[in-house]
Amino acid sequence: MASKSNFTPEEWSRLVASPVVASMAITAADPGGLWSLLQESMSSGWALLEAKQDAQATPLVKAVADDITNAETRNAVRESFQSQFKGSQFADVKRKAIEELHAISSLLDAKAPDEAAAFKSWLWSVAQKSAEAGKEGGFLGFGGIAVSDAEKATLAEIATALGNPAGSGAGLAET
């Protein structure tokens, strides 16, 4: 069973940040209006809360969800975000987020092989929930489509970056 002790402090902060990174990739793929942006941004927070309460969540997912409440971890995550994404345009944010998810996938394979597949599936589901959180092309949440073509393409890129985890492609909301 993998835990925080399996990772260096930098690796751990990257792992804890990974659900937010997955959500950021979706938001950057097709930045909608303010309401859509807020809904998509909040989806990773909700995913962390759900993971804390889910009896079926793997120990590593639970450890990540629990540790985001630690002030030291949050500071490390913030510093990591600033160094990676500060001053980036949306296209750069998406590209950097996909690259980071690929690096996280490799990190999980190396340091937590028994839980890697389940963690990657969870990350992909966070991205999917983010894509489904806000409608694109509507007005104040009315009208529009559930998941845009750009978001669908980004979900496919995320699945590839994560090594096509189980569930990455099933259950995507139709437009």
Side-chain angles (χ1 to χ4, degrees), residues 30-52:
D30 192 4
L34 177 61
W35 186 244
S36 177
L37 180 69
L38 288 171
Q39 290 174 316
E40 289 175 357
S41 298
M42 290 174 48
S43 67
S44 59
W46 286 113
L48 287 163
L49 182 61
E50 288 172 7
K52 285 180 77 158

Side-chain angles (χ1 to χ4, degrees), residues 18-171:
S18 64
V20 178
V21 172
S23 184
M24 284 175 50
I26 294 297
T27 300
D30 192 4
L34 177 61
W35 186 244
S36 177
L37 180 69
L38 288 171
Q39 290 174 316
E40 289 175 357
S41 298
M42 290 174 48
S43 67
S44 59
W46 286 113
L48 287 163
L49 182 61
E50 288 172 7
K52 285 180 77 158
Q53 299 170 347
D54 183 1
Q56 303 301 315
T58 67
L60 186 57
V61 169
K62 279 192 174 290
V64 162
D66 286 339
D67 205 40
I68 195 66
T69 62
N70 178 317
E72 186 177 318
T73 300
R74 280 194 315 274
N75 288 337
V77 167
R78 187 179 318 109
E79 289 171 12
S80 175
F81 276 153
Q82 288 176 345
S83 69
Q84 281 187 300
F85 298 107
K86 188 175 183 177
S88 298
Q89 299 297 319
F90 275 121
D92 289 335
V93 169
K94 178 189 159 195
R95 179 186 52 78
K96 290 176 181 181
I98 299 292
E99 289 171 358
E100 176 64 3
L101 292 172
H102 185 268
I104 290 295
S105 177
S106 297
L107 178 64
L108 288 163
D109 289 339
K111 300 266 185 133
D114 293 342
E115 293 190 52
F119 195 95
K120 292 177 196 183
S121 291
W122 176 69
L123 276 180
W124 190 87
S125 74
V126 170
Q128 180 183 13
K129 288 175 184 176
S130 180
E132 294 171 347
K135 289 187 176 181
E136 304 301 330
F139 178 72
L140 295 176
F142 298 101
I145 56 174
V147 181
S148 71
D149 289 340
E151 290 171 330
K152 288 178 184 179
T154 302
L155 283 169
E157 289 180 67
I158 291 170
T160 299
L162 295 173
N164 295 307
S168 62

